[in-house]
């Protein structure tokens, strides 16, 4: 799994969560770095933030589709100044396979990843509280 987000906190938390589920993880801070990694590494799933500096998520999706890549794409976004629902619908229109709004929730995030990788949900012996896995908004 390749996690692409310019926020190192989101990458770190998502990485830890997915590694706990025995997934191999690679990280990138923008679409350009992600495309370079994808040229060298076999990846089954890209978790892709839509709003990043340099090469954003939409540009990355378009580039992957031009290359006829078969990698699955999970678009994620808080929307920034835009409505996140509209931004994620655009991502889906241009080729993302699924989309989740930030802040990501542990249960929904795990379910989406497992569904996209065709992994059946495992019985969990402990209850998972559906907490956000991104940085909380600044209080002001």
């Amino acid at each position: 799994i390749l996690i692409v987000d310019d926020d190192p906190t989101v990458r770190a938390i998502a990485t830890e969560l997915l590694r706990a589920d025995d997934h191999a993880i690679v990280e990138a801070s923008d679409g350009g770095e992600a495309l370079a990694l994808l040229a060298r590494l076999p990846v089954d799933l890209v978790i892709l933030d839509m709003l990043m500096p340099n090469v954003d998520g939409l540009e990355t999706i378009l580039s992957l589709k031009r290359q006829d890549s078969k990698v699955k794409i999970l678009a994620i976004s808080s929307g920034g100044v835009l409505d996140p629902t509209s931004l994620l619908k655009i991502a889906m229109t241009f080729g993302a396979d699924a989309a989740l709004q930030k802040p990501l929730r542990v249960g929904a995030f795990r379910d989406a990843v497992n569904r996209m990788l065709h992994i059946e949900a495992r019985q969990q012996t402990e209850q998972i509280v559906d907490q956000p896995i991104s940085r909380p908004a600044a209080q002001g």
Side-chain angles (χ1 to χ4, degrees):
I1 299 173
L2 172 58
I3 301 172
V4 188
D5 198 306
D6 58 326
D7 185 336
T9 302
V10 171
R11 287 195 320 266
I13 294 170
T15 294
E16 284 303 311
L17 179 66
L18 295 175
R19 280 195 178 136
D21 288 342
D22 294 325
H23 296 293
I25 307 297
V26 180
E27 298 179 31
S29 60
D30 68 29
E33 188 178 340
L35 292 168
L37 285 168
L38 287 166
R40 298 188 324 262
L41 298 173
V43 172
D44 297 316
L45 173 63
V46 175
I47 299 167
L48 182 62
D49 186 24
M50 290 294 94
L51 298 175
M52 298 178 288
N54 305 318
V55 180
D56 67 24
L58 190 54
E59 291 173 289
T60 305
I61 291 170
L62 292 171
S63 181
L64 288 171
K65 294 305 170 182
R66 276 193 302 270
Q67 297 170 17
D68 199 29
S69 174
K70 302 295 185 223
V71 68
K72 299 280 187 193
I73 301 168
L74 172 59
I76 61 174
S77 185
S78 61
V81 297
L82 306 171
D83 170 43
T85 304
S86 298
L87 185 58
L88 292 170
K89 282 182 184 177
I90 293 168
M92 295 286 292
T93 300
F94 282 92
D97 299 288
L100 288 175
Q101 186 173 328
K102 289 181 184 177
L104 299 172
R105 302 285 176 178
V106 172
F109 180 63
R110 271 191 168 136
D111 288 348
V113 167
N114 288 335
R115 190 173 49 252
M116 294 180 79
L117 295 174
H118 305 292
I119 297 171
E120 290 188 31
R122 290 181 249 179
Q123 287 280 342
Q124 302 262 337
T125 55
E126 56 190 77
Q127 181 179 359
I128 297 174
V129 179
D130 214 15
Q131 294 294 318
I133 64 169
S134 62
R135 182 183 323 208
Q139 299 288 324

